[in-house]
Amino acid sequence: AEYMGVFHFIFLAMTCFRTCTTLQPIDLFVRVLGLALFLVVISLISAVTFVYFSFLGELELGRHTPLWCGVTTVGLWLLFNLMFNYVMCVMTSPGFTSDLDSDVLHDDHDKRQQMHIESAETSPLTIWCRKCELPKPQRAHHCSICNRCVLKMDHHCPWVMNCVGLNNYRYFVLFITYLFFGTLFIIILSIRPFYVITFKHDTVLVSDAIQRSQVTFAFVICFTVCLCIAGLVGWHCYLILTGQTTIEFLNNYSRIIHSWVTGQVKLTSNTKQSHLIHLCVSALCSHAYACAGFSFFRDLCLNSMEDGSAI
């Protein structure tokens, strides 16, 4: 059993080495960076949590008062959901095409050639990835860092050391949502002592120099992260409402620009606004990506423009 364990470890090491040697330098850098960023995330969350329980909570809410107990319960609930969704996003496979049923993926050469010429409306598996040598379903994209095709890929996130795709997208969205509210929670509690320490230079409220540094550290980190995450949460809320991924949005936007540049859509002074809205709504709220609500919105907009009425 011991020899089998050693052989298994050697096999995993060789597999990891072979995978890394096939990556481009930038892809290898991003993969290595992911581990460092993972440790940074865990360290920052632990440090801010320590600041709260060491003195910040008691400073603002009193020592073991009912208010402290209630606010701390809310904070622990946010912390639990934050860490749970972060770990699940890291550990959950985004969904690789190689994980699909082998009967679907491995077919004869003639069928491969036939699927290359079939349209997206006639077959769910229309193309084969040249790098994976596996069928690429609709909305799947090849990740050069993971070196595999990911189902409904949104992006590769080095902060979670993983691709964000079909199976772990919900954990990613919940993670950034709870991270936003968690940082906002600390900002609300630390804004008064931070203001007193930084702008009034008052050492009465927080007499210890180390604690003053900790308050400043917690506020600055949480304020910075909260600003960045707020935009990210808003962006993914928009993607969810429009039924798109980040890659699909960029592809749709490129299609709009290409239509303008190549003259496929001619915009005159009288019809410029109508054509612009028609093109944007068609591309960004298409049937392939839109949810029911935005499909209705798209049909309503396009029918209104076809009838000559304004939106």
Side-chain angles (χ1 to χ4, degrees):
E2 294 179 358
Y3 288 109
M4 291 298 294
V6 172
F7 288 139
H8 181 66
F9 175 79
I10 295 176
F11 173 77
L12 292 177
M14 292 177 63
T15 302
C16 181
F17 176 77
R18 184 169 61 250
T19 302
C20 291
T21 53
T22 59
L23 296 175
Q24 297 296 326
I26 184 63
D27 298 330
L28 180 60
F29 171 76
V30 173
R31 175 169 289 191
V32 175
L33 181 65
L35 178 60
L37 293 179
F38 173 80
L39 296 176
V40 168
V41 170
I42 298 299
S43 300
L44 290 178
I45 294 175
S46 301
V48 173
T49 303
F50 170 78
V51 171
Y52 174 81
F53 281 102
S54 60
F55 72 94
L56 182 60
E58 295 181 358
L59 179 67
E60 291 298 292
L61 306 172
R63 184 177 180 84
H64 302 302
T65 61
L67 180 60
W68 180 90
C69 294
V71 173
T72 302
T73 301
V74 174
L76 290 175
W77 178 77
L78 291 172
L79 179 63
F80 170 79
N81 284 279
L82 168 65
M83 294 303 301
F84 173 79
N85 286 285
Y86 182 63
V87 172
M88 291 299 295
C89 186
V90 172
M91 300 299 294
T92 303
S93 170
F96 299 106
T97 56
S98 56
D99 298 334
L100 297 178
D101 191 279
S102 59
D103 295 335
V104 177
L105 296 178
H106 299 91
D107 211 333
D108 59 338
H109 180 72
D110 294 337
K111 188 172 182 180
R112 293 190 183 194
Q113 297 299 325
Q114 181 182 0
M115 294 174 73
H116 272 293
I117 61 175
E118 289 179 349
S119 63
E121 289 77 17
T122 59
S123 175
L125 298 175
T126 59
I127 59 176
W128 285 69
C129 179
R130 297 179 180 178
K131 297 181 179 180
C132 297
E133 289 296 327
L134 292 173
K136 181 188 287 187
Q138 294 185 47
R139 310 185 74 177
H141 297 274
H142 184 86
C143 176
S144 59
I145 300 172
C146 296
N147 203 25
R148 286 191 283 181
C149 283
V150 180
L151 299 172
K152 199 179 177 182
M153 178 180 174
D154 187 87
H155 67 287
H156 185 95
C157 182
W159 290 97
V160 300
M161 298 190 303
N162 203 357
C163 264
V164 178
L166 178 65
N167 294 337
N168 64 348
Y169 182 72
R170 61 185 181 274
Y171 296 123
F172 175 78
V173 173
L174 288 173
F175 161 64
I176 61 176
T177 301
Y178 282 111
L179 181 60
F180 169 75
F181 286 109
T183 53
L184 187 62
F185 175 84
I186 296 297
I187 290 172
I188 294 174
L189 289 176
S190 62
I191 187 170
R192 186 178 74 92
F194 173 77
Y195 175 79
V196 171
I197 293 170
T198 305
F199 297 99
K200 291 188 175 183
H201 305 286
D202 187 358
T203 59
V204 177
L205 181 63
V206 183
S207 57
D208 189 85
I210 297 179
Q211 291 183 348
R212 291 198 297 270
S213 300
Q214 291 175 348
V215 169
T216 304
F217 166 80
F219 180 85
V220 171
I221 289 295
C222 290
F223 184 78
T224 304
V225 173
C226 187
L227 286 181
C228 299
I229 291 298
L232 188 61
V233 171
W235 167 248
H236 281 279
C237 287
Y238 165 77
L239 293 178
I240 292 172
L241 290 175
T242 55
Q244 302 179 91
T245 64
T246 300
I247 294 177
E248 291 167 353
F249 173 85
L250 295 176
N251 290 339
N252 291 335
Y253 186 77
S254 299
R255 186 170 60 183
I256 295 174
I257 300 300
H258 179 74
S259 300
W260 292 342
V261 173
T262 57
Q264 296 178 12
V265 176
K266 297 181 180 180
L267 302 180
T268 63
S269 58
N270 295 330
T271 61
K272 184 175 181 179
Q273 182 178 3
S274 297
H275 280 293
L276 178 61
I277 297 175
H278 189 287
L279 185 61
C280 291
V281 172
S282 298
L284 301 182
C285 301
S286 59
H287 279 298
Y289 310 133
C291 59
F294 272 74
S295 295
F296 172 77
F297 169 75
R298 181 208 55 199
D299 295 336
L300 178 62
C301 292
L302 299 187
N303 291 335
S304 298
M305 285 183 286
E306 289 172 0
D307 295 337
S309 57
I311 297 179

